[in-house]
Amino acid sequence: MNHKISILFRAIPVLMGAVSASSGGYVLAHASGPSARVAGLVLVFLAAICLCLFSTAATIIRQLIGRFSTLDRVLYPALGFAVSGVTAGYGLSLLTETPRPPPDFVAGHVVFGIGMICVCVSTVATVSTRFTLITGNSALPEGSPPRSPAPFGPLAVRVLPALPALAALVTWIWAFVLLAGGGGGAAAGRFTSGHVMAGLALVCTCLIGLVASILRQIQNTYTRRERVLWPAAAAGLGTAGIVWGLLVLALHDRPTQLSAGYVVIGLGLICWSILSKVLLLALVWRRQAPLANRVPLIPVGTALLCLFLASFLFESADSAVIVAARVLVGLGGVCFSLFSIVSILESGTSGGGDDPEGGTPSAAGAGAPATGAGGTGPGTGGREPPGDRPGT
């Protein structure tokens, strides 16, 4: 990977986070009314997801350009989990304050759900600390034994997928409690919070597949069944979110339902952005995938859809959807941040790249035999049969 391009891919999540946070700050400072407080706080904390995506991007890129250190192995995942703790903690503080303004009831639930997504994304950063082993494993024949010694121990193999699963479970349970009429607050607040929390739970569930895909490819235990299972699950979850949001809009009988429906649609689009990563990992595993470099277009499309939808809602000048219009801007930024991650994955799993200074292609990228990061197998990513490589 070209060093200058690597800087750009790391900068994209930071810039998108800055846009979301500054938009939220502007709304909080200059807009009035309860809807402004909800939208402003949500926009500010959507930037936390972007920071966690930066941690993931930096973790993978520094391995690809040969500058990954022992400090990096700890620093970037720790940054992600620290951001997750602050986000979830602030959401809980909004819910426990006395007296609690009605807008803080909705904002607190949504911010806490965003914190759960941050936990999942930080787990992706943690499991990606040995990302370069995927290239060597992908070049091995189908049915080869798991890598020995295993990059992750038995405890880590159980804990890493369990973290996003636990985050998703907590968010799902809380969403259904709210939708069932529990959790306190007014009925309108419970309705909005419950549906948005369900959308956030869909995103957390989608990230389980991404963590599992990276982990099992690093361990060399990825199966043909998983090649279909995880992309199909991500596509289904994204579709479920969009259909859920459309049903809320179609069946609404109160203005508060409008914003909830549009936001859930935006969260479904984020699931489709995550699909691009899971799909890419499945496509390039031990086979040629000529269209793999087109997969990064998926999060670009979802980001544009979020922004177009936000612009249409702003044009409607309907106060009932102004919260959704503002939040969709932040969701579009998250989708575009995910574009940088899938582009990095495409570069890392293609087996090719430039040297750290952007000079001549590396040995692996030029087709010369190379050793994978784990010491076994070629560094070609399994994208070409040996007979098709130059020089063989």
Side-chain angles (χ1 to χ4, degrees), residues 7-346:
I7 294 175
L8 173 64
F9 284 154
R10 280 176 283 182
I12 287 174
V14 176
L15 291 175
M16 293 300 100
V19 169
S20 183
S22 59
S23 298
Y26 182 86
V27 170
L28 289 171
H30 298 283
S32 59
S35 64
R37 178 164 175 80
V38 174
L41 287 173
V42 172
L43 281 169
V44 168
F45 283 97
L46 281 174
I49 299 178
C50 295
L51 283 178
C52 293
L53 289 171
F54 162 76
S55 296
T56 303
T59 297
I60 299 174
I61 282 177
R62 288 187 66 82
Q63 292 175 70
L64 297 181
I65 64 176
R67 298 186 178 183
F68 195 63
S69 65
T70 303
L71 178 61
D72 294 330
R73 192 181 300 276
V74 176
L75 177 64
Y76 291 117
L79 171 63
F81 283 113
V83 171
S84 306
V86 170
T87 304
Y90 188 81
L92 291 175
S93 71
L94 290 176
L95 294 173
T96 56
E97 64 183 352
T98 304
R100 181 181 62 202
D104 286 4
F105 179 83
V106 176
H109 282 98
V110 177
V111 170
F112 177 81
I114 290 172
M116 294 297 98
I117 293 178
C118 290
V119 169
C120 300
V121 176
S122 300
T123 307
V124 175
T126 304
V127 77
S128 298
T129 52
R130 292 168 174 83
F131 179 83
T132 49
L133 296 180
I134 292 177
T135 305
N137 291 341
S138 183
L140 298 174
E142 197 71 47
S144 57
R147 182 177 283 273
S148 181
F152 292 101
L155 179 61
V157 169
R158 290 192 295 269
V159 169
L160 288 172
L163 285 176
L166 181 61
L169 180 63
V170 169
T171 312
W172 276 119
I173 292 174
W174 206 330
F176 285 123
V177 167
L178 290 168
L179 293 174
R190 289 196 303 271
F191 180 92
T192 301
S193 300
H195 283 286
V196 175
M197 286 282 280
L200 295 168
L202 286 171
V203 177
C204 291
T205 307
C206 204
L207 286 165
I208 297 172
L210 181 57
V211 171
S213 296
I214 296 175
L215 175 63
R216 292 180 69 81
Q217 289 193 8
I218 289 173
Q219 299 285 97
N220 198 31
T221 55
Y222 193 74
T223 64
R224 291 185 178 183
R225 174 175 165 271
E226 290 175 297
R227 185 180 300 209
V228 177
L229 172 63
W230 299 123
L237 290 166
T239 303
I242 293 172
V243 172
W244 189 320
L246 291 174
L247 287 174
V248 171
L249 295 176
L251 301 175
H252 87 281
D253 57 3
R254 64 188 106 173
T256 54
Q257 286 181 266
L258 291 172
S259 282
Y262 286 118
V263 171
V264 174
I265 290 173
L267 292 169
L269 292 174
I270 287 184
C271 290
W272 276 359
S273 299
I274 297 169
L275 163 65
S276 64
K277 291 140 206 60
V278 181
L279 178 62
L280 178 67
L281 290 168
L283 285 175
V284 302
W285 181 253
R286 291 178 180 162
R287 63 180 179 184
Q288 296 185 45
L291 296 180
N293 60 354
R294 301 293 187 267
V295 174
L297 294 176
I298 296 176
V300 173
T302 55
L304 290 174
L305 285 172
C306 284
L307 295 177
F308 287 151
L309 184 55
S311 67
F312 293 148
L313 295 179
F314 277 123
E315 285 296 322
S316 73
D318 187 348
S319 60
V321 298
I322 193 65
V323 174
R326 288 165 170 163
V327 171
L328 280 166
V329 173
L331 295 179
V334 172
C335 288
F336 197 69
S337 297
L338 288 166
F339 157 73
S340 73
I341 304 297
V342 73
S343 298
I344 295 164
L345 293 182
E346 194 278 328

